[in-house]
Amino acid sequence: MNTDQIQALIGMLATFGILVLLALPSAIGIVHDRRIDRRLRAAEEAREVQEAREVQGAREVQGGPGDGESRKAPEEGREVQKSSSRSTVPSTATWYAEGRRSKKLVSS
């Protein structure tokens, strides 16, 4: 190899190295996002299964219409969750409106 070929090889390696350095953060971000998506999907499926179990448990506790004496009691250590005991998460619109209000109060 002569000097021109060595310089060309060094230039190509440097260009390739810069390209890798520029693309690496994006690749890491994509992998990270996919991992989070898998975790969210698994959590959502687990929540749906849990809700289905709760609904099934609530149906067993309620029994059929008109058979008030044949109702089953909740299993020990397990309570039927009421709608008022569920934690609520504000919607995006509520969160945005609260942020806008707080900015107005500060800027006034």
Side-chain angles (χ1 to χ4, degrees):
M1 289 184 96
N2 61 22
T3 21
D4 290 336
Q5 290 173 335
I6 292 174
Q7 286 180 350
L9 180 63
I10 291 172
M12 283 191 299
L13 289 175
T15 303
F16 182 71
I18 291 171
L19 177 67
V20 168
L21 286 175
L22 290 174
L24 190 62
S26 296
I28 291 172
I30 290 170
V31 170
H32 186 264
D33 285 346
R34 288 189 182 198
R35 186 179 329 139
I36 290 173
D37 288 342
R38 278 195 305 264
R39 287 181 181 174
L40 288 174
R41 221 175 297 124
E44 184 176 342
E45 289 172 2
R47 184 177 57 211
E48 288 174 358
V49 168
Q50 180 65 25
E51 287 177 358
R53 287 180 183 163
E54 288 176 1
V55 167
Q56 183 65 27
R59 286 182 186 160
E60 289 176 0
V61 170
Q62 289 177 353
D67 57 333
E69 294 180 6
S70 65
R71 292 187 182 181
K72 297 179 183 176
E75 298 173 15
E76 285 188 33
R78 182 175 176 184
E79 296 178 14
V80 177
Q81 186 176 14
K82 298 179 182 176
S83 62
S84 61
S85 65
R86 291 184 183 160
S87 64
T88 58
V89 179
S91 67
T92 305
T94 305
W95 174 81
Y96 179 76
E98 288 175 359
R100 297 280 295 166
R101 272 189 233 116
S102 65
K103 287 181 183 175
K104 284 181 180 178
L105 292 175
V106 171
S107 64
S108 295

